[in-house]
């Protein structure tokens, strides 16, 4: 895939970039190695100041940065501004709490003194996706900078201007030369960078295919990885739920980021007693969404990020309908310029059909009926994915069943799944492994070193 900014609302190519050549990659890696030695010498308080400065830049320039995100991947401008603000939040969060997360841990032994100390490991390669072009990067970068690690960003090839802007923000915030670099490289160049001895670990958010490739390369080189991959998140609605609230959250959860989110609600599993009522209200709400120019305040849903992504979704829907599913509303291509797709709802997706077994990465919801909470959880777990999950109920027993038995990395009750700097984030099964955010995330790429003075018993 060419490294290019293509406006999804018009289909027009706005700017193209050349991938780095071998000599340029070598220079970047050599610079990263030198930066790793320099950066770890700064106090954690100084590194926290860099994050505060980055947050200030993000807040001051959120409108301009938001417009850049919208032009490159199609999210609504309002949501893009909110994304910039969330990136500022994660910087401020780690500036405030990171020093405590990485404080020495005293351990009583027979030694005169013994403790565990968190130390940076060096350059970390971050392979990031286009759907949240700033947030996905900052939730890795903020803890990495605070920890004293060095970031090497390989961003998605359709958001190069966002990638360069992020590196510029850290430079202006005071991060030393080479402390955070954007590498404009293609996917076929990732393995060689990851294999280089100077790169100590990798984190990837993306597809299963990309995750397997990075995981295999890192495994051969004995390097740690954190993988956040796809999701087919269940959204369970029980009879005790507030239906108005459940429908409102269902629309928000499915259409978040034009439906292009790993943790978006995708499979809606509704108790038989309220199934018809929920379906009709959900369908009406989806049909009422305004699709159009993502820069306009009146727009609810912008275009999908690329033509290929939109066409893949359309094919998955058509294959599911051909297998016997029913289209309730929408779920169809919109003709004309740009990569637009009408939000929709389908039901009766047969086992093995794309909507039942794959991730639909776009604004299409799939309905399933369940006779009990046991059946709802069984349907929810009948997927190779295990990222997020949600259940709407007023019954504490249902909540506890969901917390304990949904095979996912997160379960939210009466709310949609969301990433939050204060909470660990990640999945199980084909949704990946490792955790981002909170204190768990900052510790993923650290050397937990045992330190002792004197003899121990």
């Amino acid at each position: 895939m060419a490294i290019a900014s293509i406006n999804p609302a018009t289909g027009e190519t706005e700017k193209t970039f050349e991938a780095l050549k071998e000599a340029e990659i070598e220079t970047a890696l050599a610079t990263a190695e030198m930066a790793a030695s320099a950066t770890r010498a700064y106090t954690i308080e100084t590194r926290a100041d860099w994050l505060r400065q980055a947050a200030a830049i993000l807040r001051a320039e959120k409108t301009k940065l938001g417009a850049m995100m919208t032009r490159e991947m199609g999210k609504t401008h309002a949501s893009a501004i909110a994304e910039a603000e969330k990136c500022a939040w994660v910087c401020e969060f780690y500036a405030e709490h990171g020093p405590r997360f990485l404080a020495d841990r005293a351990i009583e032994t027979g030694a005169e003194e013994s403790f565990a100390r968190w130390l940076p490991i060096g350059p970390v390669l971050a392979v990031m996706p286009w759907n949240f072009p700033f947030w996905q990067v900052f939730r890795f970068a903020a803890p990495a900078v605070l920890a004293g690690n060095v970031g090497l960003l390989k961003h998605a090839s359709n958001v190069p201007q966002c990638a360069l802007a992020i590196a510029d923000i850290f430079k202006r915030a005071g991060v030393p030369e080479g402390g955070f670099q954007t590498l404009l490289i293609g996917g076929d160049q990732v393995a060689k960078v990851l294999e280089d001895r100077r790169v100590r670990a990798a984190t990837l958010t993306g597809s299963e295919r990309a995750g397997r490739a990075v995981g295999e390369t890192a495994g051969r080189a004995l390097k740690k990885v954190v993988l956040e991959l796809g999701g087919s998140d269940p959204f369970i609605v029980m009879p005790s739920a507030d239906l108005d609230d459940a429908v409102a959250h269902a629309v928000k959860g499915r259409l978040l980021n034009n439906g292009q989110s790993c943790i978006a609600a995708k499979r809606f599993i509704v108790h038989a007693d309220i199934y018809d009522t929920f379906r009709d209200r959900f369908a009406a709400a989806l049909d009422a969404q305004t699709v159009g120019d993502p820069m306009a305040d009146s727009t609810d849903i912008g275009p999908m990020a690329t033509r290929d992504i939109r066409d893949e979704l359309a094919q998955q829907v058509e294959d599911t309908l051909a297998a016997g599913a029913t289209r309730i509303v929408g779920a169809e291509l919109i003709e004309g310029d740009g990569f637009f797709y009408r939000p929709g709802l389908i039901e009766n997706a047969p086992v093995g059909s794309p909507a039942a077994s794959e991730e639909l990465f776009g604004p299409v919801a799939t309905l399933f009926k369940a006779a009990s909470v046991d059946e709802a959880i069984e349907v929810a777990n009948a997927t190779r994915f295990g990222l997020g999950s949600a259940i709407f109920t007023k019954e504490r027993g249902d909540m506890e069943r969901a917390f304990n038995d949904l095979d996912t990395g997160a379960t939210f009750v009466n709310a949609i799944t969301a990433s939050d700097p204060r909470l660990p984030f990640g999945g199980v099964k084909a949704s990946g492994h490792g955790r981002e955010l909170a204190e768990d995330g900052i510790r993923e790429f650290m050397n937990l070193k045992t330190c002792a003075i004197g003899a121990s018993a």
Side-chain angles (χ1 to χ4, degrees):
M1 181 179 183
I3 301 175
S5 297
I6 300 173
N7 190 329
T10 64
E12 296 177 355
T13 299
E14 296 192 348
K15 196 168 184 179
T16 60
F17 299 82
E18 289 293 326
L20 295 181
K21 296 180 172 54
E22 236 179 86
E24 294 170 312
I25 294 173
E26 169 57 32
T27 297
L29 292 173
T31 303
E33 184 177 38
M34 289 187 291
S37 298
T39 302
R40 67 186 292 151
Y42 286 89
T43 66
I44 198 166
E45 290 77 15
T46 297
R47 299 197 293 262
D49 284 339
W50 298 340
L51 292 183
R52 293 187 186 96
Q53 288 299 316
I57 294 169
L58 286 159
R59 293 195 189 280
E61 301 178 10
K62 62 185 180 181
T63 301
K64 180 182 73 173
L65 296 172
M68 180 186 296
M69 295 183 225
T70 297
R71 288 195 308 272
E72 286 206 306
M73 59 72 57
K75 66 170 72 241
T76 63
H77 191 218
S79 67
I81 291 172
E83 182 170 334
E85 291 175 332
K86 190 171 185 178
C87 293
W89 178 25
V90 76
C91 288
E92 292 162 346
F93 173 81
Y94 278 108
E96 179 180 356
H97 300 285
R100 175 172 57 84
F101 295 157
L102 300 181
D104 289 352
R105 189 175 77 222
I107 302 171
E108 290 294 330
T109 68
E112 179 182 334
E113 183 182 355
S114 50
F115 56 93
R117 173 166 292 175
W118 298 99
L119 296 170
I121 62 171
V124 180
L125 175 65
V127 182
M128 293 289 112
W130 48 264
N131 56 336
F132 292 94
F134 269 60
W135 172 242
Q136 299 280 11
V137 177
F138 271 89
R139 72 188 195 191
F140 152 73
V145 167
L146 193 283
N149 285 324
V150 166
L152 291 166
L153 171 62
K154 188 284 179 214
H155 217 324
S157 294
N158 59 324
V159 289
Q161 294 186 75
C162 288
L164 293 169
I166 292 168
D168 181 62
I169 288 170
F170 281 116
K171 180 179 180 180
R172 287 190 283 152
V175 175
E177 169 117 14
F180 190 93
Q181 299 180 72
T182 282
L183 305 181
L184 290 183
I185 60 176
D188 58 348
Q189 296 172 287
V190 169
K192 189 169 183 179
V193 173
L194 182 52
E195 289 167 349
D196 191 281
R197 62 164 183 81
R198 291 163 290 195
V199 175
R200 298 292 299 276
T203 180
L204 176 140
T205 298
S207 67
E208 281 183 81
R209 179 183 57 78
R212 290 180 192 281
V214 166
E216 288 172 5
T217 301
R220 287 194 299 270
L222 296 178
K223 297 179 182 180
K224 184 174 184 178
V225 293
V226 170
L227 301 176
E228 195 266 281
L229 309 178
S232 187
D233 286 11
F235 183 110
I236 298 171
V237 187
M238 299 300 293
S240 64
D242 178 329
L243 273 189
D244 289 338
D245 185 59
V247 169
H249 277 88
V251 173
K252 182 178 179 181
R254 177 60 283 204
L255 301 185
L256 174 71
N257 206 42
N258 301 341
Q260 300 164 124
S261 171
C262 295
I263 55 171
K266 298 184 176 77
R267 295 176 300 130
F268 294 80
I269 305 163
V270 184
H271 193 282
D273 291 351
I274 54 170
Y275 181 88
D276 291 347
T277 302
F278 180 88
R279 177 193 59 201
D280 295 345
R281 293 188 190 180
F282 191 19
L286 290 172
D287 197 40
Q289 299 297 301
T290 299
V291 182
D293 179 4
M295 290 297 294
D297 292 340
S298 59
T299 295
D300 298 310
I301 305 294
M304 298 189 68
T306 71
R307 186 183 303 278
D308 287 348
I309 291 166
R310 182 196 62 175
D311 292 349
E312 180 181 358
L313 173 68
Q315 190 62 57
Q316 288 175 307
V317 169
E318 293 308 312
D319 289 347
T320 300
L321 295 174
T326 303
R327 189 197 325 255
I328 304 301
V329 70
E332 58 193 1
L333 289 167
I334 297 176
E335 299 298 331
D337 295 334
F339 314 135
F340 293 93
Y341 193 86
R342 194 173 306 284
L345 179 65
I346 57 180
E347 67 177 350
N348 302 321
V351 174
S353 66
S357 59
E358 299 174 10
E359 178 179 27
L360 299 190
F361 209 65
V364 178
T366 307
L367 275 176
F368 300 86
K369 187 184 295 185
S372 65
V373 68
D374 291 339
E375 185 179 358
I377 290 174
E378 182 180 352
V379 173
N381 289 339
T383 173
R384 67 184 185 278
F385 297 109
L387 192 54
S389 55
I391 184 169
F392 281 72
T393 180
K394 295 178 183 176
E395 299 292 334
R396 185 69 194 188
D398 292 344
M399 298 177 193
E400 289 297 328
R401 285 293 314 281
F403 287 143
N404 290 329
D405 296 338
L406 285 173
D407 196 8
T408 59
T411 295
F412 285 69
V413 174
N414 299 329
I416 60 172
T417 303
S419 56
D420 182 318
R422 299 164 294 188
L423 298 172
F425 181 86
V428 295
K429 300 192 290 187
S431 291
H433 52 74
R435 291 295 180 265
E436 297 177 289
L437 301 175
E439 61 186 293
D440 311 271
I442 196 171
R443 292 172 174 172
E444 286 281 8
F445 297 118
M446 304 293 289
N447 172 19
L448 180 57
K449 188 172 187 178
T450 296
C451 303
I453 301 173
S456 59

